[in-house]
Amino acid sequence: RYEFVETFQQHLDLVGEAYWMLVRDSRGQVRELWPLRPDRVRPVPHPTEFLAGYEYRVGSVVMNLAPEDVIQLRRANPLDAYRGLGPVQALLADLDAERYSAQWNRAFFVNGAEPGGIIEAPEEMDEADYERFIMRWREGHQGVANAHRVALLEAGMKWIERKYTMRDMQFQQLRMVNRDIILGAFGMPKSLIGAVDDVNRAS
């Protein structure tokens, strides 16, 4: 029962709709409920009855389900009367910003905890010299263990600083704003996830 409830609640929160398939016995009594994956379900419109049924597709196999054998739970979708619209769809831009900021934070440490720059060569390098230089640079400076090492450039090469600091990116504020937007979309107070920086004992 717990797994059933958890599954359809995930579907409802992520895509705004969840489906239950009713399994009946020979007398027509409902004996089982099965959650269906929303991405595999396609409502079939009817010209006069609104809904003719549902198609459930697994690979190349299509199962036709009658309307009375499926219960659809959905949030209202102003663009489609047959499908739901979940909080995640409304949050896609903010979720992308959160994902990219997390990846940027990881790359900040993986690449040596130093923002990038440009190495300017006085003349064009051939393929062999370029590959050799890139390999030596990565071995000497990529990774947290190699952070802040002094770089030795070959004759004529120049290092051009091109960076944004963590302060410039306002990285911490960005993560907090993203968190608050996501929590607000799901109607969840910060105290429920243990964030008690601005709540009192009564909360």
Side-chain angles (χ1 to χ4, degrees):
R1 176 182 178 182
Y2 177 84
E3 186 173 357
F4 173 78
V5 173
E6 182 75 9
T7 298
F8 80 72
Q9 188 64 50
Q10 285 179 352
H11 294 163
L12 193 62
D13 288 338
L14 290 175
V15 297
E17 59 183 5
Y19 295 90
W20 302 350
M21 182 177 71
L22 283 60
V23 180
R24 306 175 188 272
D25 60 17
S26 57
R27 296 178 298 173
Q29 299 295 317
V30 177
R31 295 302 181 187
E32 297 178 1
L33 293 175
W34 286 88
L36 303 177
R37 277 180 42 176
D39 60 314
R40 294 177 173 175
V41 178
R42 187 181 76 86
V44 180
H46 192 280
T48 59
E49 302 298 327
F50 182 70
L51 185 67
Y54 297 90
E55 289 183 355
Y56 190 69
R57 182 181 299 273
V58 181
S60 59
V61 179
V62 178
M63 181 187 304
N64 294 307
L65 303 173
E68 61 270 17
D69 290 334
V70 175
I71 296 177
Q72 182 191 39
L73 311 174
R74 68 182 182 90
R75 302 179 188 272
N77 185 343
L79 301 178
D80 191 341
Y82 293 94
R83 309 304 301 248
L85 182 68
V88 170
Q89 280 80 0
L91 285 171
L92 287 179
D94 296 288
L95 291 175
D96 280 343
E98 174 67 16
R99 178 166 59 92
Y100 291 141
S101 61
Q103 292 175 349
W104 188 92
N105 191 34
R106 177 180 179 274
F108 176 80
F109 291 100
V110 170
N111 291 327
E114 282 292 337
I118 299 174
I119 298 175
E120 184 179 287
E123 57 187 22
E124 185 176 357
M125 303 171 65
D126 60 34
E127 193 70 23
D129 288 340
Y130 175 80
E131 293 295 336
R132 178 175 59 87
F133 176 76
I134 292 297
M135 181 182 66
R136 288 173 55 187
W137 185 267
R138 287 175 176 170
E139 290 177 353
H141 300 281
Q142 189 172 24
V144 178
N146 293 325
H148 305 291
R149 291 184 63 181
V150 176
L152 178 62
L153 298 178
E154 300 186 22
M157 289 187 173
K158 296 179 182 179
W159 170 261
I160 301 174
E161 203 71 52
R162 185 173 180 236
K163 68 180 181 179
Y164 290 97
T165 65
M166 294 288 268
R167 174 188 289 274
D168 295 331
M169 294 289 290
Q170 294 185 319
F171 188 77
Q172 181 179 2
Q173 291 87 342
L174 174 64
R175 299 298 300 270
M176 294 301 101
V177 169
N178 288 338
R179 181 197 67 180
D180 293 345
I181 291 174
I182 295 171
L183 289 176
F186 285 95
M188 179 179 292
K190 291 191 292 185
S191 57
L192 287 183
I193 64 170
V196 293
D197 52 321
D198 61 351
V199 298
N200 54 33
R201 186 181 296 271
S203 298

